[in-house]
Each structure stands twice: as structure tokens, then as C-alpha cells.
Amino acid sequence: MQVTRMRGALAVGLALGVALSPLASMASDNKIALVPGGPHPYFAPWEQAAADAQKDFGIASVEYKVPAEWKLELQTELFESLAAQGYAGIGYFPGDAVGVNSTIAELKGSDIPAVALGGCAQDPTDTAFCMATDVYASAYLGTKALIEAMGGKGAVVHLAGLLVDPNTTLRVQAVEKAVAETNGAVTLLQTLGDTDNQEQGDQKINALLAAQKDQIGGMIATGYISSVVAATALKNLGDKKIKLIGIDDDKIVLDGIKDGFVSGTMAQNPYGQGYIGAYAVDLLAEGCTVKADAPFITTPQTAKFIDSGTLLINAANLESYKDDLKKLTGELQASFKDKFLSCP
């Protein structure tokens, strides 16, 4: 099949860093959508990823569609609207890991494949697979980096996201494991949940610092907004004694690294999730199927997990980390089809 062969060549080109060019004459007829659970800055790179995937893989249309609010019913209404408009496949972040599954089953019944990106639906699900950050590994490695920045001793606070989120549970376990490995040299002073929200994060993190600043040696933030709020608070206090490892690459966090108020931040790969996700959904819509023996990772949520990669950003790679993420995305995309899909 000519289109399939050309896509293979494109994959090799990306892996080798070769400039890609539009192949309008080779385009598929598919309309693909990338749909987060609601508005959140983490998903902003999906818009560029959609545009780049459309161009690089010759897809008729890849659109970034955001529900007006973070409510499952708004996301499912959007899914139904996209199906009615003739969209051939969807990459999505579940507004609810369990509640989304009935709608995904309806999409599959209409021959509209869906893949989960950035976060997983709970098995059993008709979602083809989940590509996201290995949140346990990210939180574990981030906490290890924090402990190193603290000189291997002191008290840690975990600034966590929604406590009802299964990803938060994994992150809590990872932080506890890294702390336990110090054999008491580092202690977990507190896990402060529900801080990945601007209003609650501002209130909880600033109250924590006002009451216990002198007891805290370091903070590990595992939510995007939690990281931004913590970086801002330490800068406002002028405090470089408390070490902070955040997550994601908001400008405020990156400026905190540059100015010495933040020790580092764990980069996720939302661009790669959107870019490779759109590519994969298009192939599934073209008739490819997921390999039964594909090298998926099993997590508490799903038996079909793909790690989209993570790395620590610190003062040493602050200027070059985007190149590292681009290389990571290229390597994952170049081998994706052969590893995970069977195509006609």
C-alpha cells in the first residue's frame, strides 16, 4: 500500500532528524481529533502536535478540540459531536478513567478507534492503548533528584494532585519508596493533596510555607499547577534553602531553575503524546490493528501502556532539553508501527 510505505519512510526521516515535508498527494482522508479532559495548560502542546502530525503524515485533518469545562458529560458530548461530523478517530485524555468507557465502546461500535493520551482509561476498556508518562517512574526519579539536592537528609513535602486520581496514588507510592530508601535520613513530613488547581494550590502551598517553612528541606511537586505555585512562592519568599523539584516546563518553573529557586523539574512529553497519538489513530482508522504480542507495559490501570518518556530538566540542560525530547519523540515514533501495530 503506497501510503503505508511512504509513512515508513517518513518515520525513518524523523528518526534521522531529516526535515519532513507535506505530502498532500499522499494524504489519508481521515479527520482525527485530539481531545483533553478539559482546559489545562499541560495539553497546550497538543495543538502544535496536531498541526505537525497532519503535515508530516499526510492526514486530511488533525484538530485539537477542548471541552469547555473539565466535566465528563461535556467530553462525551464532544465525542458524539465529532462522530456525527465524520471524524475517523480520536486521541483523548479521559475526563473520568472509568466513566469514559461506555462512550469509547460506542465509538468502537461505529468503527471509530480511540487511544488514551497523557492518562489512561481503566481496564476493561475498548481504548486501543494508552500512551502517557510513567508517573511512578517520574515521581520516583524526581524524588531521588530532590534528595540529592538536599544533600541526602532533611524533611520532604509532597505537593500532590487530586487524591482521587489513580495517578496521584502511584506518585504517592513512588515518593514514599524513594524516601524509605534513605533509611531514615530523609523523612516525609507531609503529603499535601489537591494542589493541582490554581485556587487550592495557592491557598494550601502558601499556608504550608507560612506555618512550616523552617521544618521543610525539600518539596517534590507532581502536578503542573502545584509546581508553578511552589516556584512562585519560593521566589516571593526569596528562599533558596528549600529545594524544589517540579514537573513540566512552565516558564515560571524554568525561570526558577535559572534563578536558583528551583532545583529541577521532571519533563513529560505532551507534544510526543499528541504527535504520535494522531499518527497511530490515523493508522488504526486505515485498518491497522494492535498486535496481540506488542511490548506493552502493565500498570494498575491498563495492560496496554506505552511510556512516552520523561527526563529531568536542571541547570545543566535547561537550554537543550527540548532537543532531547524531540529526539525521544522521533525514536519512539520511528519504531511505533512495527512494535505495536499490524497493518494491511
Side-chain angles (χ1 to χ4, degrees), residues 124-309:
T125 177
D126 285 310
T127 301
F129 62 81
C130 175
M131 177 183 291
T133 304
D134 184 338
V135 295
Y136 184 94
S138 174
Y140 177 76
L141 294 173
T143 307
K144 297 286 280 187
L146 175 64
I147 291 170
E148 182 178 348
M150 294 166 56
K153 59 184 179 181
V156 167
V157 171
H158 179 192
L159 307 175
L162 290 171
L163 292 176
V164 297
D165 183 343
N167 284 340
T168 300
T169 302
L170 294 173
R171 286 165 165 150
V172 167
Q173 292 170 352
V175 171
E176 290 174 348
K177 182 176 188 295
V179 170
E181 289 175 351
T182 68
N183 296 316
V186 174
T187 58
L188 182 60
L189 182 66
Q190 185 177 354
T191 297
L192 190 63
D194 298 331
T195 61
D196 195 25
N197 168 284
Q198 192 66 51
E199 183 176 352
Q200 293 188 53
D202 273 332
Q203 189 274 324
K204 290 188 174 186
I205 293 171
N206 285 297
L208 170 79
L209 290 171
Q212 296 180 279
K213 179 168 69 72
D214 293 339
Q215 302 172 43
I216 302 170
M219 299 190 294
I220 174 78
T222 54
Y224 186 108
I225 294 172
S226 318
S227 304
V228 172
V229 171
T232 302
L234 292 179
K235 182 177 181 180
N236 289 342
L237 289 170
D239 191 319
K240 296 184 179 180
K241 180 179 69 67
I242 297 175
K243 306 304 180 185
L244 170 64
I245 296 288
I247 191 167
D248 296 316
D249 56 349
D250 188 276
K251 185 177 185 302
I252 290 175
V253 175
L254 298 181
D255 286 347
I257 294 173
K258 182 179 179 182
D259 297 336
F261 292 103
V262 179
S263 299
T265 188
M266 298 305 297
Q268 301 189 82
N269 192 10
Y271 175 87
Q273 292 161 5
Y275 183 79
I276 300 170
Y279 165 72
V281 169
D282 183 54
L283 290 175
L284 291 169
E286 289 284 291
C288 296
T289 57
V290 174
K291 285 182 176 178
D293 59 349
F296 290 114
I297 300 168
T298 296
T299 74
Q301 282 186 296
T302 180
K304 292 181 179 177
F305 180 83
I306 301 169
D307 183 7
S308 57

Side-chain angles (χ1 to χ4, degrees), residues 31-33 61-63 65 81-90 112:
K31 293 168 65 177
I32 305 297
S61 174
V62 183
E63 297 288 336
K65 301 284 190 179
S81 173
L82 294 170
Q85 294 173 53
Y87 278 76
I90 294 173
I112 300 174

Side-chain angles (χ1 to χ4, degrees), residues 5-90:
R5 287 199 299 272
M6 286 307 299
R7 284 176 177 150
L10 283 166
V12 172
L14 182 58
L16 297 176
V18 177
L20 300 172
S21 59
L23 289 178
S25 61
M26 307 305 296
S28 76
D29 295 329
N30 296 323
K31 293 168 65 177
I32 305 297
L34 300 180
V35 182
H40 192 285
Y42 173 81
F43 301 104
W46 282 16
E47 185 168 15
Q48 186 61 52
D52 289 348
Q54 177 178 322
K55 179 184 67 175
D56 293 346
F57 304 122
I59 304 170
S61 174
V62 183
E63 297 288 336
Y64 176 56
K65 301 284 190 179
V66 186
E69 296 180 59
W70 200 281
K71 294 181 178 178
L72 177 61
E73 58 267 31
L74 295 183
Q75 187 181 46
T76 56
E77 287 174 6
L78 180 53
F79 287 159
E80 291 164 0
S81 173
L82 294 170
Q85 294 173 53
Y87 278 76
I90 294 173

